[in-house]
């Protein structure tokens, strides 16, 4: 990636694809898409996801948002866990009077109408859908409207706190991001679920790309179960190259832009700190794509105490091991984007 500084760099090159890819500035919205090309959008979208619940995605999202806001960035946090919204609780915000429910249920509502303050300078919140039984199963048109509206927010960072699992809705929010952040625990089950999630996200992205380029049949053949059929992105590209060199080059640019950022949560030992690097290496070896290790967050009793107090740990206990880990991750993201403090 070659992300720009929000304050000084020019906008990144736009991609022929209408949906961005996790971690890749090469997949900006199509400037020819109706209503998108002329509008402002966040300098960076961060989507925080993972393969299962209970791994600390909301804690990471909330505190990462606070850490970036404390570094002078204008941040909008969005609780995109459509079936289990709780991000406002992590931030100590009372029951919001306006939520994503209001936006989704009222076709003429604007996303700006449901933004609420958090009490932290530079940090705003869109609370998740509350008390809507089918919120996790929003219709395609609702999802597209929400995605388009999110892309038009004029902030430095838009952070999406995603729900558990790998439903199409969750994956679509993940792959729209410039930085797809994958949260994982140093446990075999969590590692396995994280791998499944990022693999599902990649193939969801591939579905969009093949549709945009009209190469569904070529990719389908490449992914067939026949002996010797292509499996990795490199093999898929090679298969397409045999039929169309130009399309293969564009496909390669799209797929290599899929670069996930890994965050290891609740590291209890020095050995746990090496799990992230091992996962990055395995992803590269078996799938042929790059992945960035953003670092680890130490297991810390202060973290759950802060959650009980409904206060972000980077504010409540800024010198604690967990808070220091989150602040380091924020600094790494800013460095990737070329932002200097």
């Amino acid at each position: 990636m070659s992300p720009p500084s929000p304050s000084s760099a020019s906008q990144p090159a736009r991609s022929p694809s209408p949906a961005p890819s996790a971690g890749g500035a090469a997949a900006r919205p199509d400037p020819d898409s109706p209503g998108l090309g002329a509008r402002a959008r966040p300098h960076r979208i961060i989507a925080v996801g993972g393969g299962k619940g209970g791994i600390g995605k909301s804690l990471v999202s909330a505190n990462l948002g606070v850490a970036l806001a404390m570094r002078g960035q204008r941040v909008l946090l969005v609780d995109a866990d459509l079936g289990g919204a709780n991000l406002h609780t992590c931030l100590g915000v009372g029951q919001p009077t306006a939520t994503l429910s209001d936006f989704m249920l009222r076709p003429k509502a604007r996303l700006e109408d449901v933004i609420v303050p958090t009490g932290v300078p530079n940090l705003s919140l869109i609370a998740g859908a509350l008390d809507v039984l089918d919120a996790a199963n929003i219709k395609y048109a609702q999802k597209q409207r929400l995605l388009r509206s999110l892309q038009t927010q004029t902030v430095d960072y838009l952070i999406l706190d995603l729900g558990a699992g790998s439903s199409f809705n969750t994956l679509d929010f993940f792959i729209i991001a410039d930085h797809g952040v994958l949260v994982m625990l140093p446990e075999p089950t969590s590692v396995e679920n994280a791998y499944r999630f990022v693999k599902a996200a990649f193939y969801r992205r591939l579905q969009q790309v093949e549709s945009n380029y009209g190469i569904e049949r070529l990719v389908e053949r490449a992914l067939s179960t026949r002996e010797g059929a292509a499996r990795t992105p490199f093999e898929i590209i090679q298969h397409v190259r045999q039929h169309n060199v130009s399309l293969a080059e564009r496909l390669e640019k799209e797929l290599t832009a899929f670069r996930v950022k890994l965050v290891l949560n609740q590291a209890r030992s020095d050995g746990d700190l090496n799990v992230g690097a091992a996962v990055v290496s395995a992803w590269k070896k078996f799938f042929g794509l790059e992945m960035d290790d953003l670092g680890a967050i130490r297991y810390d009793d202060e973290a759950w105490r802060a959650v009980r107090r409904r206060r972000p740990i980077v504010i409540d206990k800024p010198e604690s091991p967990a808070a220091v880990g989150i602040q380091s991750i924020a600094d790494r993201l800013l460095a990737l984007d070329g932002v200097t403090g």
Side-chain angles (χ1 to χ4, degrees):
M1 291 181 301
S2 54
S5 166
S7 59
S8 61
S10 59
Q11 288 297 319
R14 294 185 181 269
S15 162
S17 169
S21 166
R28 294 286 188 180
D30 186 346
D32 295 326
S33 296
L36 283 182
R39 295 183 183 178
R41 57 148 284 164
H43 284 91
R44 281 291 178 268
I45 298 177
I46 299 172
V48 181
K52 58 186 292 187
I55 58 177
K57 293 187 298 296
S58 293
L59 181 142
V60 170
S61 300
N63 284 277
L64 181 59
V66 173
L68 290 171
M70 292 172 68
R71 285 153 174 77
Q73 304 300 303
R74 295 169 302 146
V75 181
L76 175 59
L77 270 169
V78 181
D79 195 338
D81 185 351
L82 301 178
N86 61 7
L87 193 57
H88 63 284
T89 304
C90 297
L91 293 166
V93 175
Q95 186 85 353
T97 56
T99 71
L100 272 182
S101 301
D102 301 284
F103 173 78
M104 291 189 294
L105 295 178
R106 297 206 303 264
K108 294 185 178 181
R110 301 182 310 148
L111 204 57
E112 291 79 2
D113 297 333
V114 299
I115 296 176
V116 298
T118 64
V120 177
N122 296 323
L123 182 66
S124 300
L125 169 71
I126 296 179
L130 301 173
D131 302 324
V132 180
L133 294 179
D134 61 348
N137 301 308
I138 58 175
K139 297 178 181 178
Y140 177 81
Q142 290 177 309
K143 178 177 64 177
Q144 292 303 111
R145 174 172 168 253
L146 177 56
L147 290 173
R148 286 194 300 269
S149 296
L150 289 172
Q151 289 177 304
T152 63
Q153 300 305 303
T154 55
V155 293
D156 296 319
Y157 283 93
L158 176 74
I159 301 179
L160 305 174
D161 178 29
L162 305 184
S166 54
S167 69
F168 282 169
N169 285 337
T170 299
L171 295 177
D172 286 347
F173 284 113
F174 188 79
I175 62 179
I176 200 178
D178 301 287
H179 299 305
V181 175
L182 181 70
V183 179
M184 182 185 72
L185 302 182
E187 301 170 356
T189 53
S190 183
V191 171
E192 183 178 355
N193 282 320
Y195 179 81
R196 287 175 177 171
F197 177 87
V198 72
K199 189 175 179 181
F202 170 79
Y203 281 116
R204 180 62 171 169
R205 175 62 185 152
L206 179 60
Q207 283 183 332
Q208 293 182 347
V209 172
E210 67 182 24
S211 177
N212 295 334
Y213 294 158
I215 55 174
E216 294 93 337
R217 290 186 178 180
L218 287 177
V219 174
E220 183 180 356
R221 292 171 190 164
L223 294 174
S224 69
T225 57
R226 296 191 304 271
E227 184 178 356
R231 290 289 195 280
T232 68
F234 176 77
E235 290 169 328
I236 294 170
I237 293 165
Q238 289 298 97
H239 184 86
V240 175
R241 194 183 303 277
Q242 295 173 8
H243 301 269
N244 190 312
V245 174
S246 177
L247 276 178
E249 290 176 352
R250 295 169 67 184
L251 179 63
E252 182 175 18
K253 183 178 180 181
E254 292 276 4
L255 298 187
T256 55
F258 184 87
R259 186 161 178 155
V260 170
K261 314 292 188 297
L262 182 66
V263 168
L264 186 75
N265 192 24
Q266 297 185 16
R268 294 174 180 264
S269 66
D270 291 341
D272 286 348
L273 298 178
N274 299 322
V275 172
V279 169
V280 167
S281 178
W283 178 251
K284 170 68 173 179
K285 178 180 179 181
F286 294 110
F287 216 64
L289 291 177
E290 300 290 342
M291 180 184 287
D292 297 308
D293 184 3
L294 286 184
I297 302 169
R298 286 278 192 176
Y299 179 86
D300 190 347
D301 285 340
E302 292 296 345
W304 62 261
R305 292 192 182 106
V307 171
R308 287 192 175 185
R309 288 191 288 266
R310 300 188 178 191
R311 286 178 55 81
I313 191 171
V314 294
I315 293 178
D316 198 49
K317 296 290 182 179
E319 303 302 323
S320 66
V324 170
I326 293 169
Q327 290 163 355
S328 295
I329 290 167
D331 288 335
R332 289 190 183 98
L333 282 170
L334 289 173
L336 284 173
D337 290 339
V339 181
T340 56

